[in-house]
Amino acid sequence: QLQASGGGLVQPGGSLRLSCEASGFIFDDYAIGWFRQAPGKEREGVSCISSKGGSIYYADSVKGRFTISRDNAKNTVYLQMNSLKPGDTAVYYCAARRSGRSDYAYWGQETLVTVSS
């Protein structure tokens, strides 16, 4: 089970930190990805961190502004989002993918991020 939190309303240029807390599986056997879906758009992969944190991916649209990290002792992955833009407005999801596999086995509930003045 995954629980995402930390969304909210923020002005352009502001920051938010999303959290994804896991339970019910061996957290440090899984890579964690963040996805988002804006109204009328397809779901987009935003960032992903490998099970031990040694490999990280960012979509070009967020590179240099977002930072993903994980604390395996707390079963939690974070997505620090800085310099937010209106185009970042979306529902954000986290998902867990077992190391070595391409499919995501667990999906969390959404958290809404709204960037607006």
Side-chain angles (χ1 to χ4, degrees):
Q1 185 175 356
L2 296 170
Q3 181 66 50
S5 62
L9 173 64
V10 64
Q11 291 187 342
S15 298
L16 283 174
R17 188 177 80 158
L18 304 184
S19 298
C20 175
E21 184 172 1
S23 61
F25 60 92
I26 301 173
F27 184 68
D28 58 1
D29 281 352
Y30 286 75
I32 304 294
W34 281 100
F35 298 81
R36 67 185 182 186
Q37 188 165 20
K41 294 188 177 181
E42 292 188 355
R43 187 172 63 198
E44 173 189 18
V46 174
S47 182
C48 182
I49 187 166
S50 61
S51 59
K52 303 299 188 289
S55 179
I56 288 175
Y57 160 84
Y58 295 105
D60 287 344
S61 58
V62 307
K63 208 170 285 185
R65 300 187 297 122
F66 290 11
T67 303
I68 193 170
S69 62
R70 66 188 295 157
D71 184 341
N72 284 356
K74 296 182 178 179
N75 285 6
T76 302
V77 167
Y78 304 99
L79 186 68
Q80 178 67 43
M81 306 187 297
N82 297 330
S83 303
L84 283 162
K85 306 174 181 180
D88 295 316
T89 296
V91 291
Y92 285 70
Y93 304 82
C94 57
R97 173 173 56 82
R98 186 148 191 173
S99 295
R101 295 185 63 96
S102 60
D103 58 310
Y104 283 85
Y106 304 105
W107 289 85
Q109 290 185 322
E110 63 193 44
T111 185
L112 175 62
V113 172
T114 303
V115 185
S116 175
S117 55

